[in-house]
Amino acid sequence: MSKLFITFVILNVLNVIIQTIKSLLTIKGNKWVAAWSNAIAYGLYTVVLVYMTCELSLILKAVIVGGCNLIGVYIVKSIEERLKKEKLWKIECTVKNEFAEQLSNVLTNVSIPFTKINCTTNICLFNIYTKNQKESSAIREIIKKYDVKYFVTESKDL
């Protein structure tokens, strides 16, 4: 393999990874983090643009860029998922009184914390707290059995 080919591949992998990180930081970071990540990303992109005019064939360049995007974005998003902190989820639902005791027992048996508020002669309000999205999905399946209306809220960072 030629040195030009290897350089082109390495530059494109780095470019995709840095551009993906830049996108995440622009959305989630403060203005200085966003500014610096954009400066670095577009600085490298300029070098990549120059290499786009090299003697490699157009089809080879397209395959390299496509493959680097597939792999690079997948790597960055996988790392992001691993680093993401789980947040507390709150599921608020209204349950007919005839099902309230059954739901209380089920939630207690699976050790899911909740509060129950008697609202009217017809319904109770349940606030159910889960540690992650997976638990929330399991709770959603449980509460479907009890003819409820619900909504889910993810906690926010302070």
Side-chain angles (χ1 to χ4, degrees), residues 88-140:
L88 177 68
W89 293 77
K90 177 183 174 186
I91 303 162
E92 263 186 74
C93 58
T94 55
V95 181
K96 291 180 180 175
N97 280 340
E98 60 191 88
F99 301 125
E101 195 60 38
Q102 291 173 346
L103 181 56
S104 292
N105 291 336
V106 169
L107 293 172
T108 301
N109 289 339
V110 293
S111 301
I112 299 291
F114 68 94
T115 58
K116 179 175 86 169
I117 303 165
N118 293 322
C119 296
T120 69
T121 56
N122 297 333
I123 62 165
C124 284
L125 174 66
F126 277 77
N127 290 312
I128 305 167
Y129 305 95
T130 61
K131 297 175 197 153
N132 53 48
Q133 195 170 4
K134 185 179 176 184
E135 262 186 21
S136 295
S137 295
I139 294 302
R140 185 176 59 217

Side-chain angles (χ1 to χ4, degrees), residues 59-75:
I59 189 71
L60 183 58
K61 289 177 196 173
V63 169
I64 291 169
V65 170
C68 289
N69 272 277
L70 180 69
I71 294 165
V73 171
Y74 183 85
I75 289 169

Side-chain angles (χ1 to χ4, degrees), residues 72-87:
V73 171
Y74 183 85
I75 289 169
V76 173
K77 292 297 287 179
S78 294
I79 292 169
E80 179 196 24
E81 285 175 4
R82 285 191 196 112
L83 295 176
K84 184 179 178 184
K85 294 180 195 174
E86 284 291 349
K87 296 182 179 181

Side-chain angles (χ1 to χ4, degrees), residues 2 25 28 38 42-43 47 54 80 84 99 106-107 129 135 156:
S2 74
L25 293 176
K28 296 179 180 182
N38 271 270
Y42 284 107
V47 175
C54 70
E80 179 196 24
K84 184 179 178 184
F99 301 125
V106 169
L107 293 172
Y129 305 95
E135 262 186 21
K156 303 292 180 206

